[in-house]
Amino acid sequence: MLTILGFTMIATFLVLIMMKKMSPIAALVLIPALFCVFVGKGAHLGDYVIEGVGTLAPTAAMLMFAIVYFGVMIDVGLFDPVVRGILKFCKADPMRIVVGTALLAAIVSLDGDGSTTFMITVSAMYPLYKRLKMSLVVMTGVAATANGVMNTLPWGGPTARAATALKLDAGDIFVPMIPALAVGLVAVIGLAYVLGLRERKRLGVLSLADVLDKEKEQEKEEERETETVLVGAGAGAAAASGGSGDGKVRFTKTTGGSGSGTDAAVGSEGGSEDDDVDDVRLQGLDPNRATLRPKLYWFNALLTAVLLTAMIMELLPIPVLFLLAAALALTVNFPNIPDQRERLAAHADNVLNVSGMVFAAAVFTGVLQGTGMVDSMARWLVDGIPDGMGPHMAIVTGALSLPLTYFMSNDGFYFGVLPVLAEAGAAHGVSPLEIARASLVGQPLHMSSPLVPAVYVLVGMARVDFGDHTKFVVKWAALTSLVVLGSGILFGII
């Protein structure tokens, strides 16, 4: 019964958000609360939620201050050279921009933290996608899939969990998997190339200078239209009082509408063109914005390098590192209190959106784990493995890692399910090392799971609907995972 309710709860959540019948935050809270009552444990809902919130609170704190930190770094121009370098390589070609997104996400993923990867990638690429009117869902999908492949690094989490759960050396698990993971990364770049060709076909090859010139022309046209509105309004008033005038009044924009044509497509992928006016990140290509701090560039670069190094070396808990870094960055770059308040207000929308998603996800994970649904689903899947598949338990583990790491947290899979799979494999002579390596192949899909807090950073900063992201990325991420699994089998690693 718990198994059926668990799968039904997850399916209900995914269907409702992909059909846009509920917002992700509402779905993450209300659906598990309802199913908790169905299970007959409604009286314990508070305990489950508090436990889930307690588990994810450090993550939420880290994300809050990380968004502030990287937001300030964007404001002061730390990533402007990166954007210019990408522009020089991409030449405003959509295909090159999508491939550049995959490469940037893969490189930044070397720090081992998905949230940081997404913040840096979105910060650098978002202005390009918005200005060239490219699909933001393509950006989030490619970034998530590339990070999923790189998330298998020994310091990224899954490999360390597998090593701990099976009492193995992380190096023995990861190093032999490098060829298969390299093929997976090539597959992501190939996917980016194909998606980029689609965007090029839809938009054509542009030049940033042309885009900026068009924007300037639009601004001038809007100014002229505004003057026409005023003149027309005056003429209309004169006509009403007996004077003459043609009474023609032109309006520049209509806000709040659903939009049509290209504008509507852009809106469905992460915000309408009207949002651009208020989106501070679109100033990322403005070399004259007031928040730039060119004299402090190397200080900010050094501070960021020290921060990432400290994260990798685990000198302090990550939330503490970002808290200290954000406070220092604000104080040095914006010593005046009003300026600090202005910067905090500028990024408050992202902070509230992402942290709200994380705490809402705490309800979902708390109910899944507290009611025993996760354990029941895992046992059902493991018990359903035919005895004849025993000698092929490594392949079975790789195949099961796709759905299990999507529907479960990494901790639940690696510490709850993997030991059972390894024990079943050992009974048929399958090495625990093979089981551990196979367990990594589901990570490209895992990184877009609704149970992963980092994905809310990605869609939140990119202003992409989580349902749109899920519909787009699941098929490509699953295909990438299967490529890694197939490569591991072909190379004899699994």
Side-chain angles (χ1 to χ4, degrees):
M1 186 64 178
L2 280 177
T3 301
I4 295 174
L5 287 174
F7 282 117
T8 303
M9 184 178 88
I10 294 171
T12 303
F13 166 75
L14 292 174
V15 169
L16 287 175
I17 62 169
M18 286 192 288
M19 293 180 66
K20 298 184 180 179
K21 299 298 183 181
M22 293 183 73
S23 69
I25 289 182
L28 284 167
V29 173
L30 297 180
I31 292 174
L34 183 62
F35 274 83
C36 186
V37 174
F38 287 164
V39 172
K41 297 187 178 182
H44 300 287
L45 177 62
D47 296 332
Y48 300 153
V49 172
I50 292 299
E51 184 177 353
V53 169
T55 302
L56 292 181
T59 300
M62 182 272 288
L63 295 178
M64 289 173 61
F65 290 106
I67 290 171
V68 172
Y69 178 80
F70 284 108
V72 170
M73 291 298 109
I74 297 165
D75 295 335
V76 300
L78 178 64
F79 298 112
D80 282 19
V82 176
V83 175
R84 286 194 292 267
I86 294 173
L87 276 173
K88 189 174 182 180
F89 164 75
C90 298
K91 298 178 181 177
D93 179 357
M95 184 274 289
R96 291 192 177 195
I97 290 175
V98 179
V99 172
T101 301
L103 293 173
L104 179 61
I107 293 170
V108 181
S109 293
L110 291 172
D111 74 341
D113 182 70
S115 300
T116 305
T117 297
F118 295 148
M119 279 184 274
I120 293 176
T121 302
V122 174
S123 299
M125 305 304 296
Y126 181 90
L128 301 179
Y129 279 78
K130 288 296 283 186
R131 284 192 180 273
L132 300 180
K133 294 178 171 46
M134 293 176 62
S135 170
L136 292 171
V137 178
V138 170
M139 177 182 71
T140 61
V142 168
T145 308
N147 177 253
V149 174
M150 298 299 291
N151 193 45
T152 54
L153 292 167
W155 54 89
T159 303
R161 288 180 175 90
T164 302
L166 301 183
K167 297 179 175 58
L168 301 170
D169 182 76
D172 292 338
I173 298 173
F174 175 74
V175 174
M177 278 293 289
I178 290 177
L181 295 172
V183 172
L185 190 58
V186 171
V188 173
I189 296 172
L191 170 64
Y193 177 78
V194 172
L195 295 175
L197 288 179
R198 287 186 184 180
E199 288 295 282
R200 178 196 282 176
K201 183 178 180 180
R202 183 171 69 89
L203 299 170
V205 179
L206 309 170
S207 71
L208 188 65
D210 292 340
V211 173
L212 297 178
D213 288 343
K214 289 181 180 178
E215 290 182 353
K216 290 179 181 179
E217 291 176 3
Q218 289 175 356
E219 290 176 0
K220 292 179 180 178
E221 180 64 22
E222 287 171 1
E223 290 178 1
R224 288 194 294 269
E225 289 178 349
T226 301
E227 292 175 0
T228 303
V229 168
L230 296 176
V231 172
S241 61
S244 63
D246 60 7
K248 293 181 180 178
V249 180
R250 290 190 297 161
F251 296 92
T252 58
K253 290 184 181 180
T254 300
T255 60
S258 59
S260 62
T262 304
D263 292 352
V266 173
S268 68
E269 292 165 355
S272 66
E273 286 185 284
D274 294 338
D275 294 336
D276 297 355
V277 177
D278 298 321
D279 197 332
V280 295
R281 286 169 297 165
L282 282 181
Q283 299 174 9
L285 295 176
D286 180 6
N288 300 314
R289 61 188 186 277
T291 57
L292 285 177
R293 297 293 184 270
K295 294 182 179 180
L296 294 172
Y297 181 84
W298 290 111
F299 166 80
N300 291 314
L302 179 62
L303 177 61
T304 303
V306 171
L307 171 62
L308 296 178
T309 303
M311 286 172 54
I312 294 173
M313 297 180 65
E314 299 181 352
L315 298 181
L316 285 173
I318 294 179
V320 177
L321 289 172
F322 272 113
L323 192 156
L324 294 173
L328 184 59
L330 274 172
T331 303
V332 174
N333 288 283
F334 302 97
N336 296 326
I337 300 298
D339 292 338
Q340 293 181 14
R341 289 175 180 167
E342 183 181 351
R343 290 301 91 211
L344 289 173
H347 303 292
D349 183 34
N350 280 334
V351 170
L352 180 60
N353 186 27
V354 172
S355 59
M357 286 279 202
V358 172
F359 283 121
V363 181
F364 197 90
T365 56
V367 170
L368 265 180
Q369 294 172 359
T371 58
M373 290 182 190
V374 166
D375 295 335
S376 181
M377 290 188 293
R379 284 196 301 270
W380 178 78
L381 286 170
V382 173
D383 292 343
I385 300 172
D387 292 336
M389 294 298 295
H392 308 289
M393 279 303 297
I395 299 176
V396 171
T397 300
L400 286 178
S401 70
L402 273 72
L404 288 179
T405 57
Y406 187 79
F407 295 133
M408 301 172 62
S409 67
N410 270 343
D411 286 337
F413 174 70
Y414 285 103
F415 295 119
V417 178
L418 188 60
V420 178
L421 294 172
E423 185 177 348
H428 293 84
V430 180
S431 167
L433 275 172
E434 292 184 56
I435 300 292
R437 293 166 190 160
S439 70
L440 301 178
V441 304
Q443 289 305 304
L445 180 59
H446 169 75
M447 286 310 298
S448 290
S449 166
L451 303 181
V452 176
V455 73
Y456 298 115
V457 177
L458 177 63
V459 299
M461 292 190 68
R463 301 197 174 188
V464 169
D465 182 83
F466 182 77
D468 291 340
H469 171 77
T470 300
K471 283 191 292 185
F472 176 81
V473 76
V474 165
K475 57 183 178 294
W476 301 119
L479 179 61
T480 303
S481 294
L482 292 175
V483 168
V484 175
L485 177 60
S487 301
I489 296 171
L490 183 63
F491 296 147
I493 302 168
I494 298 175

